[in-house]
Amino acid sequence: MIKNPDKSVEDTNEEIETAQNNCSEEKCEKKEQAKTKSKSKKQDKALLEKEKEIAELKDTYLRLLAEYDNFKKRTQKEKEAIYIDSVGDTVMALLPVIDNFERALASFSDEEKEKDLYKGIEMIYNQTIETFEKIGVKKIEALGCEFDPLRHNAIMHIDDESIADNTIVEEFQKGYTYRDKVIRYSMVKVAN
């Protein structure tokens, strides 16, 4: 098996050992490269998983943020609606008082309108109407206007050729709005 007779057994053993060491070093290098590749693959896989987890958490966060923003807007609208309804209910309770003031003022004759009683009632009525206007309550225009079922309640009709169709000819009870919401519809007579 010894190819070179000049070599000693020790030299041959040395060569074998060197060859084994070289082979062992190559194997070690290959093993280390394999380990490095394996580690790199594991790290890449872990990194991808973490990036996926971050993306999911970010998506969840953005959805929660949008939901919270929608909740705030919805709550604000509900608060405004409650306020508008409360003011509407309060004004609705006061409208019969206004109606009574108007009836009282209409009951005075021309001679009595110069008296202090009429002037006092008129001042209270005007002050109440001004207060309503300050908070945003407005009268619905009716007399001479075109009938609008969203603002007027027709309780009578007349046939009159001299008046245009759907024109309001008489107002029995004034209507009021608050922020474009009808608190009370005007009760009117409409020409056909």
Side-chain angles (χ1 to χ4, degrees), residues 37 45 53 62 66 69-70 77-79 93 101-102 106 108 124 127 132-133 139 150 152 154 157 173-174 176 182:
K37 284 182 181 178
K45 188 176 180 181
E53 186 179 339
L62 291 175
D69 190 46
N70 290 337
K77 284 182 184 178
E78 288 172 358
K79 283 181 183 178
F101 274 121
E102 290 172 351
F108 283 92
I124 295 169
Q127 185 179 17
F132 275 14
E133 288 174 355
K139 289 182 187 177
L150 300 176
H152 306 117
H157 292 277
Q173 188 177 46
K174 287 185 169 74
Y176 294 88
V182 176

Side-chain angles (χ1 to χ4, degrees), residues 1-7 12:
M1 299 251 189
I2 299 175
K3 295 183 181 180
N4 191 352
D6 296 334
K7 282 189 179 179
T12 307

Side-chain angles (χ1 to χ4, degrees), residues 109-121:
S109 67
D110 289 338
E111 296 167 1
E112 294 174 324
K113 288 184 180 179
E114 297 301 319
K115 293 184 179 179
D116 291 338
L117 178 63
Y118 177 84
K119 290 180 182 178
I121 293 173

Side-chain angles (χ1 to χ4, degrees), residues 23-37:
C23 195
S24 175
E25 285 178 14
E26 286 176 17
K27 282 183 181 177
C28 284
E29 267 185 48
K30 286 182 181 179
K31 281 183 181 178
E32 282 188 39
Q33 287 176 352
K35 282 182 182 177
T36 304
K37 284 182 181 178

